[in-house]
Amino acid sequence: MKIIIGNYRNHWISPYTILEKFFYWRKDYDAYKKEPPKWLRTLCEWNQKFLDTVHPRINYVKIDRWDTWSMDLTLAPIILPMLKELKDSKQGAPYVSDEDVPDYLKSMNAPRCENEWDTDDNWFKRWDWVLGEMVFAFETKLDVADNWMDKFKTGVSDITWVESDEVYEGDTCWEMKHGAKHTQKYDWEGIAEYEARIQNGFRLFGVYYRNLWS
């Protein structure tokens, strides 16, 4: 995979700006007091179209066939830093349903708004929480070296694989045996809760995908 995405181009030159530059010697001149000539606006529009054609925004994406073998892992290292950057640099927050956040962040648990169009005190906190859960999900997805399930493991493993008497399609089968010192146990309830949080983070990513703007 190879991705090159450049910054947005700004090729628009306002006719008002041109007029103000042209009449720079008139200190009292205000181009916005009257409509600029139609020919000047047309000239500005054609100039923008020309520059958009010869100098477009860089948007190059090359996908290799192996990128889809584990597409979820391929996308995760791209999505995660973008989510973190959005969380740190966002300038607003979209509507977040009370159903998607804990009780303490619900709008009903915030002071009542004076006007119906006002945002409650938890409005931005809800979006911060949602973004945090998305980040958590993708961080866990990339946590390959340190398996998160090990956090719910206690004891020691004493497992050996021994050759069994069974044969499947000409191949020897092996059987797992627990040794006398095997004390390893898993907190399956804790694992289920952790997995549910991961899955919910990915669900929130899908639900609020169209709200991922700064």
Side-chain angles (χ1 to χ4, degrees), residues 57-176:
R57 181 191 181 197
I58 299 175
N59 192 353
Y60 175 78
V61 179
K62 178 181 179 296
I63 303 298
D64 298 300
R65 60 186 179 86
W66 53 82
D67 292 327
T68 57
W69 291 349
S70 295
M71 187 171 169
D72 52 346
L73 282 175
T74 302
L75 292 175
I78 301 173
I79 296 173
L80 178 59
M82 294 189 72
L83 287 174
K84 289 182 175 180
E85 175 63 25
L86 176 61
K87 193 172 186 297
D88 293 337
S89 63
K90 63 185 182 303
Q91 302 178 49
Y95 168 78
V96 174
S97 173
D98 279 350
E99 297 178 354
D100 292 325
V101 296
D103 289 341
Y104 72 93
L105 290 176
K106 296 183 186 298
S107 57
M108 66 181 68
N109 291 326
R112 188 171 182 178
C113 298
E114 182 178 351
N115 302 301
E116 62 179 10
W117 56 83
D118 292 335
T119 57
D120 62 82
D121 290 350
N122 288 336
W123 181 278
F124 296 98
K125 295 177 183 178
R126 285 193 290 274
W127 185 229
D128 279 337
W129 185 87
V130 166
L131 286 175
E133 292 305 292
M134 293 182 194
V135 169
F136 169 80
F138 281 97
E139 281 182 336
T140 307
K141 186 66 181 178
L142 291 175
D143 191 12
V144 179
D146 182 20
N147 190 342
W148 63 264
M149 290 185 66
D150 289 343
K151 302 173 184 177
F152 301 91
K153 180 176 64 178
T154 57
V156 295
S157 175
D158 186 11
I159 296 176
T160 56
W161 291 89
V162 296
E163 188 174 342
S164 70
D165 297 331
E166 298 182 11
V167 177
Y168 179 74
E169 293 185 354
D171 294 328
T172 301
C173 296
W174 294 79
E175 184 178 359
M176 184 175 66

